[in-house]
Amino acid sequence: MSLQLTDDQLDLLKEVFNLGVGRAAASLSKLANNKYEVVLSLPKLQILPLRDMVSILETESNNNITCVSQNYTGPFNGTAHMIYSHAASLRLVTMMLDSNVPSERLSELESDALMEIGNVLINACLGALSRMFKAEIETELPQILSGTPENVFKKGHPNFDLPVTFIRSEFQIKEENLKGYISLFLETDKIQKLLEMIDQYNQELMGM
Amino acid sequence: MSILLIVDDSKTIQKQITHFTAQHFPELKVVTASSAEEALTLIPGIIKDLRVAIFDFNMDGMTGLELIEKVKDIIPTNKIILCTANIQEAIKAKAHGHGVNFKEKPLTMDNFKETINIVLKK
């Protein structure tokens, strides 16, 4: 399936992601007791086969990612995935936690903190869409997976030719010289209904 | 005619605020800029009629806070609203430090109406 987004569709999807990332940044900062300011880049959006997204993630994440996935249902259904590079996420969580936390508890707390931030980001994006479209969107509990990008996505997505909508922002914590990416991807074969609603929303705004 | 200026790189947000303004403040003319740099070229021409300015924070080039730094001597800061989903305390503190209004995105019709009414009375 090939998909070409209009400028209005691209603009709205990026803005919605921006809202989500902004909330996620605030949550990150709050988890670290507001000691750090998280600086975000503008989101980039690409539509590409899943295999190409996996290649990008392999290069950028040193082949090790953590992914929080959440199914949503409503006027449009699908799964949103928030992806972190593993090294950046581990440092993030270490920064947030008391240095007295025993190392054996770190990975447990890491999953918990990343799941929470993923949950905030995904729900902020979906919440923004829900308010715009005045429609209820329900989410299931988030799930977290870590490993190589290929392994993380192989299970739920046997077809790596599947086109996906891949949106990402770079985050930076200057005080700690830490950089990473927050990404979201949506299965493109499931976003047709969402795109129709975006068009309808834009028409309503224009037809005022 | 009194002017409401929107500085936001999202056309969706520009359209949404234009729509809200037409619904509730038809006396305000909306002027839009897609970047802080574009706003700086527009502001001298509209300054005498400018009543409210809504700045996004996260934009390509200059941020909304950097734009506030540039215009705070010509636009009363209590007429500026910094509107962002990036609700970190550090950003809120900087906004409040300049005396500008801080609003969380996305704006709804109701909180837009309330905020603009407050700013127009200042």
Side-chain angles (χ1 to χ4, degrees):
Chain A
M1 179 194 172
S2 68
L3 183 79
Q4 192 83 37
L5 297 186
T6 65
D7 288 345
D8 282 344
Q9 290 167 342
L10 278 170
D11 187 83
L12 194 141
L13 283 176
K14 279 202 257 184
E15 182 59 23
V16 162
F17 180 69
N18 222 357
L19 296 176
V21 172
R23 293 279 173 82
S27 292
L28 278 171
S29 184
K30 208 177 271 179
L31 283 169
N33 294 319
N34 294 317
K35 275 191 292 188
Y36 307 101
E37 182 181 341
V38 184
V39 180
L40 297 165
S41 72
L42 290 177
K44 283 184 190 160
L45 188 149
Q46 289 172 282
I47 295 172
L48 69 184
L50 179 56
R51 90 173 63 256
D52 292 353
M53 187 192 84
V54 166
S55 296
I56 293 171
L57 291 170
E58 282 168 351
T59 311
E60 287 182 353
S61 68
N62 217 5
N63 209 17
N64 199 351
I65 59 165
T66 301
C67 177
V68 176
S69 301
Q70 203 159 10
N71 292 327
Y72 54 87
T73 53
F76 46 88
N77 302 333
T79 310
H81 308 264
M82 180 183 171
I83 306 156
Y84 312 82
S85 66
H86 189 73
S89 61
L90 193 61
R91 274 199 60 204
L92 263 180
V93 177
T94 313
M95 273 167 49
M96 290 172 201
L97 298 173
D98 185 337
S99 55
N100 295 325
V101 172
S103 57
E104 62 271 18
R105 281 208 63 210
L106 196 60
S107 69
E108 177 199 330
L109 292 168
E110 182 200 0
S111 295
D112 197 62
L114 296 182
M115 191 117 82
E116 179 55 28
I117 296 160
N119 193 28
V120 167
L121 179 134
I122 292 170
N123 280 288
C125 292
L126 293 173
L129 289 173
S130 163
R131 274 188 294 275
M132 272 179 194
F133 302 148
K134 298 182 180 70
E136 191 177 356
I137 302 167
E138 288 183 10
T139 50
E140 293 175 10
L141 286 175
Q143 296 192 322
I144 191 160
L145 276 176
S146 290
T148 65
E150 190 179 347
N151 283 338
V152 166
F153 297 117
K154 205 162 55 182
K155 200 176 164 194
H157 304 90
N159 178 9
F160 268 38
D161 292 324
L162 176 82
V164 296
T165 305
F166 182 44
I167 318 174
R168 64 202 166 127
S169 278
E170 188 184 85
F171 69 85
Q172 208 179 346
I173 299 175
K174 284 184 178 156
E175 296 92 334
E176 291 288 310
N177 197 25
L178 172 66
K179 261 188 184 184
Y181 287 92
I182 296 182
S183 314
L184 185 74
F185 94 80
L186 303 164
E187 289 105 335
T188 297
D189 60 342
K190 291 181 186 159
I191 68 167
Q192 202 52 48
K193 179 69 186 168
L194 168 62
L195 297 179
E196 284 168 21
M197 293 186 81
I198 291 175
D199 290 343
Q200 198 183 333
Y201 177 77
N202 272 310
Q203 276 165 12
E204 280 169 20
L205 289 184
M206 295 308 288
M208 57 193 178
Chain B
M1 193 176 188
S2 298
I3 288 176
L4 179 149
L5 171 68
I6 307 165
V7 186
D8 198 306
D9 56 353
S10 166
K11 296 282 179 203
T12 303
I13 297 297
Q14 290 181 12
K15 279 190 268 186
Q16 188 192 44
I17 293 177
T18 304
H19 176 66
F20 287 172
T21 307
Q23 295 279 309
H24 293 287
F25 302 95
E27 71 278 16
L28 292 175
K29 179 185 164 194
V30 175
V31 173
T32 60
S34 295
S35 67
E37 290 78 2
E38 188 188 350
L40 287 173
T41 65
L42 287 175
I43 287 169
I46 59 170
I47 189 76
K48 72 177 173 53
D49 296 317
L50 188 60
R51 298 292 172 268
V52 190
I54 303 175
F55 297 170
D56 183 21
F57 171 69
N58 199 13
M59 295 182 284
D60 210 3
M62 220 183 280
T63 68
L65 276 171
E66 287 165 339
L67 178 59
I68 290 166
E69 280 285 346
K70 297 259 182 198
V71 300
K72 66 182 183 189
D73 293 333
I74 50 169
I75 302 176
T77 52
N78 63 4
K79 298 287 179 195
I80 301 173
I81 302 161
L82 185 71
C83 188
T84 176
N86 197 335
I87 49 173
Q88 294 180 69
E89 288 303 321
I91 294 172
K92 271 190 207 170
K94 285 178 194 168
H96 290 145
H98 285 300
V100 306
N101 307 277
F102 185 90
K103 271 285 152 191
E104 185 179 339
K105 261 189 182 178
L107 284 173
T108 60
M109 183 84 93
D110 287 344
N111 67 23
F112 171 79
K113 197 172 144 187
E114 188 189 329
T115 307
I116 300 299
N117 272 324
I118 291 169
V119 172
L120 288 175
K121 282 179 194 154
K122 282 182 178 173

